[in-house]
Amino acid sequence: MEASSNQPPPLEDVDLFAIDLPLREAVGRAGVSAADQGGLAAFGREWGAAETAAEARRANEHPPQLHALDPRGERLDVVEYHPAYHALMARSMAAGLHASSWDEAAVAPMGAAPRASGQALRAARFYMAAQVESGHLCPLTMTHASVAALAAAPDALSRWLPRIVGRDYDGAFRPWWEKTAVTLGMGMTERQGGTDVRANTTAATPAGDHYRISGQKWFMSAPMCDAFLVLAQAPGGLTCFLVPRFEPDGRRNGLRFQRLKNKLGNRSNASSEVVFEMAHGEKIGEEGRGVATILGMVQLTRLDCAISSAGLMRTGLAHAVHHARHRRAFGRRLIEQPLMRTVLADMALEVEAATALAVRLAAAFDAAPDDPHEAALARICTPAAKYLICKQAPHLLYEAMECLGGNGYVEDFPLARAYQEAPVNAIWEGSGNVMALDVLRAAARDPAATAAVLDRLGEAAGEPGRRAADAIQSALRSPDAEARGREITEGLGRLAALATLAAGDARVADAYAARRFGDGRGAQTSWGGAGPSAQADRLIERALPE
């Protein structure tokens, strides 16, 4: 049909960086150089291309398949992916989404602790890739974060890091030492424990210079990774182990995949149930220190959850604004109708905050080794940012689907897939209550650092921020602090977002303060519920230039 059929054109063959002013401002505030921003533009064009969108669609229309046995009944335990998935993995690994933060660590002196750099730059790329296809980012997130855990075993790190930072994706099922680039996954939760990993029963028995792992994991994502960081009970208590797909002599290791999870979303990525049958494992860190060893990895995966959810929110907003600019109803374009503009502006404001906060937090991880305040900010605000952004994403994406009407609900269009994808980030690596408890624990362990972070955020955010910081401090000291954990955690996330926005466009920060901290603020599920914003025109134009 002709364009006059009133169907908006696809939002494809665009530069995802150039059309995203809030992202460009966020990376500028984070200190990303002009040269690196040029690279972000090239990445934005590649990931905004129609070809990449088609790969994303195909990877989700043809989900991975488990082949547990070969035709003769012998164990095979491999997962077959569509070529589009491999194409996406190759694109992302060539761009360093799995490891660019650790490039300098790979050439550091032997025995030196790995130091991440360029987290904000990587975050911008990760954020744009998430707008197109999020499922394949799961193994990239885990690979990136694995270095933080492997730091507890310098010998293992020295062997694996050169291949972790490799850029040539190799999806073949063969020993890791035959590859120039590898991916790593993780297996933590079991049927009887879930989040309570100390209830794990998987056992690790010493066997000379290694251990033999026996037991099960209820969730182990990306089962075709080259190795997995696994928690198991050693003689000295819960311990972290590196479990490769192949034994050191080249035989297949004892990982027996039972089935792949039939998930709501995240369909391009395989998530499995696995049984370990005397699998070879290498101890990472001390016996009994498994949770402490894995915690650095978990912090980085939580950061990626927030970044990718911000990216999903961004794609929902961009498609909603694009549709409203091209669709006519009741005699005029949707974008010209006051009620639609109110909704879009409110959504745009939330995406501004999510984008700014995600990049700011990534920059804090960069600065943390040399700046105690930034280290405290990263430690305390990461669970709060994950809580806020990941919980907002499904609500905002639903509203974006509603802006498109029936087409938004149809899986031929990208928003339905983004909506299905959104809940996983709020659940994975700790759901809402877990994030709230982590904020409370961090505050209890170091109340002085927490108070300092709140004071600095409050000062940066102005009078509304100071009031919010005081309220959070009061709630933390109250006898019912645990029962108010979600209130505290969301408040901290919003305070950090406002403080970040205040470092940029003052009018955007003022609008956010008025909408999210004022007496008439709407509930998180009621976009536009607080009425029109004086900044509506600017917010929509900032979201997507016409």
Side-chain angles (χ1 to χ4, degrees), residues 401-421:
M401 289 169 60
E402 193 170 289
C403 290
L404 271 65
N407 283 350
Y409 194 66
V410 174
E411 294 197 26
D412 292 337
F413 293 82
L415 285 194
R417 185 172 72 244
Y419 179 68
Q420 290 174 319
E421 193 75 39

Side-chain angles (χ1 to χ4, degrees), residues 54-257:
E55 289 173 353
R57 174 183 55 77
R58 289 193 292 267
N60 282 273
E61 288 179 349
H62 304 280
Q65 301 292 319
L66 171 63
H67 300 287
L69 304 172
D70 70 10
R72 299 169 299 168
E74 300 293 331
R75 294 299 310 192
L76 197 56
D77 296 297
V78 298
V79 177
E80 184 178 45
Y81 295 85
H82 189 269
Y85 173 89
H86 293 296
L88 291 165
M89 288 289 291
R91 285 183 189 274
S92 289
M93 289 186 69
L97 294 192
H98 67 302
S100 62
S101 300
W102 306 108
D103 284 346
E104 294 180 11
V107 296
M110 185 64 66
R115 288 177 56 133
S117 62
Q119 292 272 24
L121 176 61
R122 174 186 173 272
R125 289 194 176 99
F126 202 85
Y127 169 95
M128 288 188 278
Q131 296 175 41
V132 182
E133 209 292 306
S134 288
H136 83 288
L137 296 180
C138 178
L140 304 181
T141 282
M142 293 187 293
T143 303
H144 173 251
S146 69
V147 176
L150 290 174
D155 288 347
L157 181 66
S158 67
R159 283 181 275 115
W160 282 84
L161 187 57
R163 289 175 171 81
I164 288 174
V165 300
R167 297 293 195 267
D168 297 323
Y169 170 65
D170 187 345
F173 183 47
R174 55 179 175 158
W176 66 272
W177 57 86
E178 296 179 4
K179 300 183 178 186
T180 60
V182 297
T183 56
L184 277 75
M186 61 194 302
M188 295 175 64
T189 59
E190 300 180 5
R191 282 177 292 183
Q192 74 286 349
T195 300
D196 184 9
V197 295
R198 295 189 185 279
N200 284 5
T201 60
T202 295
T205 304
D209 64 351
H210 63 282
Y211 290 70
R212 288 293 170 180
I213 314 294
S214 300
Q216 52 83 23
K217 295 295 175 186
W218 189 236
F219 276 96
M220 195 166 79
S221 286
M224 289 306 288
C225 284
D226 297 286
F228 304 87
L229 286 158
V230 170
L231 291 178
Q233 298 287 357
L238 191 65
T239 305
C240 182
F241 295 91
L242 182 65
V243 180
R245 288 301 313 269
F246 288 84
E247 297 255 10
D249 63 5
R251 291 177 297 134
R252 296 181 183 186
N253 205 1
L255 283 73
R256 308 295 181 237
F257 298 119

Side-chain angles (χ1 to χ4, degrees), residues 334-352:
L334 290 176
I335 199 75
E336 296 167 348
Q337 311 215 16
L339 192 53
M340 179 61 79
R341 293 184 71 77
T342 298
V343 171
L344 291 174
D346 211 11
M347 292 166 60
L349 191 59
E350 198 67 27
V351 176
E352 290 253 11

